[in-house]
Structure formats: structure tokens, C-alpha cells
């Protein structure tokens, strides 16, 4: 049931968006054509409202040590101004959420969880903070997040940034951030995204969100920017081979099932962290099923929940799938028994009673040319 609306809800209504409930948020699904929005991001730029994501500040003398304990990665090792993808797990090694953490300094971090999981992650961080000298502040309700994604994203932001700050945009590396003034708004500008393209994510207080949104849309007109909804965001992330919580990631999956073993710092972190013992055991045992990419050889696409077959026997299940607008053939992510999970393995997907041929291929399905 929808309970939450972003500060940009009225902007979306004015643009004629169709809406969907996502994690308790009323979010734009698309504005006109999800295919046109998808192609705009691949070829020009797309403008997204991601304000349903969470923003949790962790500050204090033990902020770095605390995050090393509550997340599976080594957050103390990243440099100021950098971001890191990580996971928060429970004691059983199940994935509570995947998230990105931004380091402002040894005593100040911003943790960004997924929309529907934001309250759960904020509560878990607050509960686990009891033994540390840190403060956990859930700023999700007061913070908006706007994303500009696509090959023209940098050019659009340069139009909205004073020349004295252009280097803060152009020199920004992937998974890094700066504090920049964009269209008169002080924002946290991060070179991160979920589309497989170059692009930026801009954090700012809710009060400025509508003004920033309109400024970016206006500045981007000459570059072909279009507002984009969750439908194109999902097709873009699938082409980029990125997992979605609730589809590929869950409490029932370990990071090793999902191919995220390198995210777990079992060797580089000396001390204990939440889930460590279970994750060490899971790594030792190895997954029974692995997350793989599937390329369809027919025209029809597999969808979440469809069985994956080998010689007529069920050996896995699709978690996400649809026709790839960029590549022109069906793509899917699926969990498959490890003995059938090698690259190049020919499998079938049961499309409501008809087996269609698929093949395991390397991820990502789509990789942009740099």
C-alpha cells in the first residue's frame, strides 16, 4: 500500500506520469514510452527521481569501525570522497540489503539503502550502534535524490554549474563524489548510478528538489534529456547485470549465491562483523545455485519465477527477465544449479508451458563504450 510521496510527486503529475507502488512509495512508472526513456539514457540522458531511496548518516569517533562491523565490506579502507558498494547481512549471512556508502571523513559517512528496506536498515544500524561511539541519523524523509544518467549527463550538469566548479564535475571519478552548487543548490554530487551509463546522482534537501528537477530538465532539452520512470530503470539495470533486492537478493540468499563474494571482506577485516561466521561457512560450502546471465535465442522473454530447464528437468529459476531494448534479444538473470552454471551452457526456460532455448553468458549483458 502506498504511504509515501516524494517531494517531486507534483512534478511527475504535471508531466503526465503513470504511477506504481514501489516499496510503499508512489513512484513514476513511465511518462510516455518506457522504450523511448530507455533509449534516451543509452543515447542522450535521462532524469530520474530516486527520492524513495534511504539516506542514513553515521557520525562519530568510531564511525569507520562501526561500519566495518555492521557491513560485510571494509568501509574504513576507502578514501574520503569515495563511495563503496556493500551489503548488510544478518547473523545467518542472509542479505538484509545492498547499499552504497559515501565517506566524508573518518568520522562521517552516508549510507544509502534501497527504498523499501530503508526503515529496516536504519533500524538495524541504530540497534547495532549501541556498543559504539557513533550517532545514526535517518535523514531519508528530508532528503531528495535526483539522477542524471547517460552520455550527455556531464554536459548538462556543466551548464548548471559555475565555471569555477567545472573541474569538480569533469574530474569526478566513478564511485566518487564532491559537494557542488548545481543550479543554485548545494548538492552532494556522486558519479554513481544503476543504468550502466555514465551519470550522476544528486542529493539535496527536499525543499530544493522541484527547482533542481526543472533546471536540469530545461538545461537538458538541447541534449535530448527525458524524464524516466521505474520501468526503464529496471530494463537498464538488467542490461547492466545489476541485481535488484527482492528479485536477485534476499534474506534467503548469501552473497556467494549472488556472485557477490568479492564484496565480503573475510580476509582484509581482522575483527568480527555481523554474519562473519555464517559467511565463512557459506564460502567454504559453496553455493548450490549461482546467479547467472541468460541470453535468449528465441523472441520471447523469461520472467521472474519461470523455471529454468536442462533436458526437461528443473535446474533453476528466473529472477528477472525481459527483451533487451538495446541488444535486441531476451535477457534474464536466474539462479541455476552449480553443475549447470558454466558459461556457454545451453538451457531452456519454461515460458508458460513452452520451452525456449537460452544460453548462459557473461555479465553484464551490456557494457558502455568509454
Amino acid at each position: 500500500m502506498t504511504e509515501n510521496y516524494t517531494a517531486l510527486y507534483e512534478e511527475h503529475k504535471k508531466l503526465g506520469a503513470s504511477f506504481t507502488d514501489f516499496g510503499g512509495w508512489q513512484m513514476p512508472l513511465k511518462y510516455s514510452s518506457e522504450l523511448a526513456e530507455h533509449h534516451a539514457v543509452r543515447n542522450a540522458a535521462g532524469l530520474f527521481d530516486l527520492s524513495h531511496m534511504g539516506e542514513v548518516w553515521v557520525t562519530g569517533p568510531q564511525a569507520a569501525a562501526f561500519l566495518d562491523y555492521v557491513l560485510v565490506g571494509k568501509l574504513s579502507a576507502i578514501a574520503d570522497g569515495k563511495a563503496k558498494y556493500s551489503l548488510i547481512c544478518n547473523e545467518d549471512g542472509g542479505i538484509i540489503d545492498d547499499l552504497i556508502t559515501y565517506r566524508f571523513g573518518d568520522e562521517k559517512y552516508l549510507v544509502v539503502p534501497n527504498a523499501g528496506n530503508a526503515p529496516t536498515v536504519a533500524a538495524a544500524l541504530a540497534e547495532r550502534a549501541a556498543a559504539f561511539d557513533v550517532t545514526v541519523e535517518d535523514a531519508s524523509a528530508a532528503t531528495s535524490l535526483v539522477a542524471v544518467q547517460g552520455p550527455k549527463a556531464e554536459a548538462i550538469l556543466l551548464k548548471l554549474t559555475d565555471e569555477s566548479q567545472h573541474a569538480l564535475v569533469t574530474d569526478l571519478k566513478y564511485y566518487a563524489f564532491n559537494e557542488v552548487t548545481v543550479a543554485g543548490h548545494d548538492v552532494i554530487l556522486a558519479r554513481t548510478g544503476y543504468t550502466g551509463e555514465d551519470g550522476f546522482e544528486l542529493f539535496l534537501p527536499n525543499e530544493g528538489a522541484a527547482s533542481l528537477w526543472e533546471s536540469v530538465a530545461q538545461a537538458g532539452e538541447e541534449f535530448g534529456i527525458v524524464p524516466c520512470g521505474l520501468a526503464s530503470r529496471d530494463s537498464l539495470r538488467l542490461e547492466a547485470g545489476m541485481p535488484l533486492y527482492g528479485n536477485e537478493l534476499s534474506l534467503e540468499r548469501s552473497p556467494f549465491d549472488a556472485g557477490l563474494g568479492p564484496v565480503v571482506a573475510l580476509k582484509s577485516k581482522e575483527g568480527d562483523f555481523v554474519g562473519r561466521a555464517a559467511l565463512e561457512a557459506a564460502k567454504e560450502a559453496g553455493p548450490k545455485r549461482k546467479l547467472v546471465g541468460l541470453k535468449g535465442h528465441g523472441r520471447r522473454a523469461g520472467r521472474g519465477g519461470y523455471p529454468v530447464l536442462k533436458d526437461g528437468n528443473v535446474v533453476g529459476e528466473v529472477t528477472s527477465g525481459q527483451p533487451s531494448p538495446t541488444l535486441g534479444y531476451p535477457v534474464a538473470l536466474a539462479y541455476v544449479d552449480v553443475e549447470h552454471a558454466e558459461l556457454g551452457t545451453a538451457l531452456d526456460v519454461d515460458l508458460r508451458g513452452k520451452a525456449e532455448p537460452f544460453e548462459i553468458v557473461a555479465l553484464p549483458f551490456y557494457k558502455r563504450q568509454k
Side-chain angles (χ1 to χ4, degrees):
M1 176 182 293
T2 296
E3 298 177 345
N4 301 300
Y5 298 84
T6 77
L8 292 167
Y9 179 67
E10 293 299 326
E11 297 296 317
H12 304 319
K13 285 176 63 178
K14 286 192 291 186
L15 290 167
S18 58
F19 290 89
T20 186
D21 181 283
F22 185 86
W25 290 81
Q26 188 76 346
M27 297 300 296
L29 179 65
K30 61 182 179 179
Y31 298 84
S32 56
S33 160
E34 59 198 77
L35 283 178
E37 293 168 19
H38 182 108
H39 289 306
V41 175
R42 288 281 179 255
N43 300 309
L47 178 59
F48 296 84
D49 177 14
L50 307 181
S51 303
H52 57 324
M53 303 287 282
E55 290 86 13
V56 183
W57 290 95
V58 176
T59 57
Q62 290 188 295
F66 168 69
L67 290 171
D68 280 352
Y69 175 71
V70 299
L71 306 181
V72 301
K74 190 173 183 179
L75 282 301
S76 62
I78 62 175
D80 294 352
K82 299 290 187 181
K84 186 176 182 67
Y85 177 82
S86 191
L87 304 166
I88 180 169
C89 290
N90 61 18
E91 291 286 2
D92 296 329
I95 301 170
I96 295 174
D97 199 13
D98 62 331
L99 38 73
I100 296 177
T101 300
Y102 301 82
R103 175 174 166 134
F104 290 74
D106 193 48
E107 298 187 8
K108 184 178 181 182
Y109 291 79
L110 174 63
V111 180
V112 179
N114 285 298
N117 288 337
T120 302
V121 171
L125 292 176
E127 180 183 351
R128 297 174 183 183
F132 291 84
D133 186 4
V134 296
T135 298
V136 176
E137 178 195 4
D138 184 359
S140 304
T143 307
S144 290
L145 176 55
V146 172
V148 186
Q149 296 283 303
K152 302 299 184 183
E154 182 180 284
I156 293 168
L157 288 179
L158 290 177
K159 283 187 64 178
L160 298 169
T161 308
D162 187 85
E163 190 171 347
S164 64
Q165 292 196 323
H166 278 188
L168 297 177
V169 179
T170 57
D171 293 350
L172 194 59
K173 303 297 185 184
Y174 188 51
Y175 262 67
F177 66 94
N178 281 318
E179 294 180 82
V180 182
T181 301
V182 178
H185 300 278
D186 294 333
V187 308
I188 300 166
L189 179 72
R191 200 157 208 155
T192 48
Y194 197 52
T195 63
E197 292 298 333
D198 184 25
F200 300 86
E201 296 180 320
L202 294 77
F203 298 85
L204 78 165
N206 287 342
E207 292 74 16
S211 172
L212 177 69
W213 175 275
E214 292 172 356
S215 295
V216 174
Q218 185 175 3
E221 281 184 1
E222 66 175 287
F223 299 99
I225 196 171
V226 300
C228 297
L230 293 185
S232 59
R233 181 171 159 83
D234 194 47
S235 57
L236 290 158
R237 74 92 192 168
L238 178 57
E239 286 183 349
M242 297 182 181
L244 175 66
Y245 197 89
N247 290 37
E248 285 75 41
L249 307 179
S250 70
L251 285 171
E252 287 68 44
R253 297 291 183 186
S254 87
F256 303 101
D257 300 330
L260 296 174
V263 175
V264 185
L266 289 173
K267 290 184 177 178
S268 61
K269 288 203 290 191
E270 295 179 354
D272 192 19
F273 62 89
V274 178
R276 175 164 202 145
L279 291 168
E280 286 177 335
K283 182 181 180 182
E284 178 67 21
K288 295 180 179 178
R289 281 188 171 179
K290 291 174 59 178
L291 187 66
V292 301
L294 294 176
K295 174 184 177 180
H297 292 295
R299 299 183 61 182
R300 298 176 63 198
R303 304 289 181 177
Y306 284 15
V308 178
L309 310 174
K310 180 66 176 176
D311 301 327
N313 300 310
V314 176
V315 297
E317 181 178 298
V318 172
T319 51
S320 300
Q322 62 177 275
S324 165
T326 305
L327 302 172
Y329 51 76
V331 296
L333 294 173
Y335 278 100
V336 173
D337 293 346
V338 290
E339 56 266 37
H340 302 295
E342 291 295 319
L343 290 178
T345 301
L347 298 169
D348 295 317
V349 174
D350 184 345
L351 304 182
R352 297 186 175 180
K354 182 179 180 183
E356 287 276 348
F358 281 74
E359 175 188 355
I360 296 179
V361 296
L363 293 171
F365 300 108
Y366 165 84
K367 192 171 185 178
R368 72 183 173 93
Q369 300 297 313
K370 297 182 180 178

